[in-house]
Every structure is written in structure tokens, then in C-alpha cells.
Amino acid sequence: MIDISDREFEFSLKLRVECPNALWKAAAHHCLHIFDYSNDDMIDLIGPAEDPSIEDCLMLLALPARMAGCAMLSTTMDIAEPAKHVDG
């Protein structure tokens, strides 16, 4: 059996947010029902529904609190530049 306990893995996920309101609602539900946060704590974390923190909503929903047998080493989030359309 191969010992992989010292190996590190990385994966990438690229998303387009098509409905910020639906994303915020999912993140708010996660905060209130999974983590049992108060409304104030939730708004501090992901912003209000009228002005959601898209990055924080994505991080909250995309990253597990803990993955069994793993130690999370780092997280990053970048806003991708839209692809440039070249007429040719």
C-alpha cells in the first residue's frame, strides 16, 4: 500500500454566479441551520441579502468545515477576468 500521508493535493473549481440572491439564501440557510449562527453573526459573515458578500457566500458553501482524514492547508479565491471576445 502506498503511504500518501505526506502528499498534498489541490483542486480548482471555477464558477459563474448567475443569481446572487439564490447564493445568499443558500449561504444564509447554511449559517442559520448548520452552524446555528445568529442573524447578526450571519450578516457579519456573508453580508445582508441586499448586498451579499459573494466571495464569503461561495467560501462558506464550497468549503467543508472539515474533510475526514484531511487537514486543509490553504484556501484562495480570485475573481476571474471575463474572457475577451475577439472579432475575427
Side-chain angles (χ1 to χ4, degrees):
M1 183 155 103
I2 299 173
D3 181 18
I4 62 169
S5 63
D6 292 330
R7 292 178 60 193
E8 296 175 8
F9 299 84
E10 179 178 334
F11 72 73
S12 172
L13 173 65
K14 186 174 184 177
L15 300 169
R16 176 184 303 119
V17 176
E18 296 178 331
C19 183
N21 186 261
L23 175 67
W24 184 87
K25 284 181 181 180
H29 181 270
H30 205 72
C31 283
L32 296 173
H33 296 96
I34 304 300
F35 293 125
D36 198 28
Y37 287 0
S38 70
N39 271 346
D40 290 339
D41 290 339
M42 175 196 65
I43 289 172
D44 284 345
L45 181 62
I46 64 171
E50 305 80 38
D51 186 25
S53 171
I54 299 300
E55 293 87 351
D56 290 324
C57 289
L58 288 171
M59 290 292 258
L60 178 73
L61 293 171
L63 297 176
R66 174 89 171 133
M67 224 182 258
C70 299
M72 192 174 306
L73 301 176
S74 67
T75 60
T76 60
M77 178 169 306
D78 298 311
I79 298 174
E81 294 295 323
K84 294 182 181 181
H85 180 71
V86 177
D87 292 327

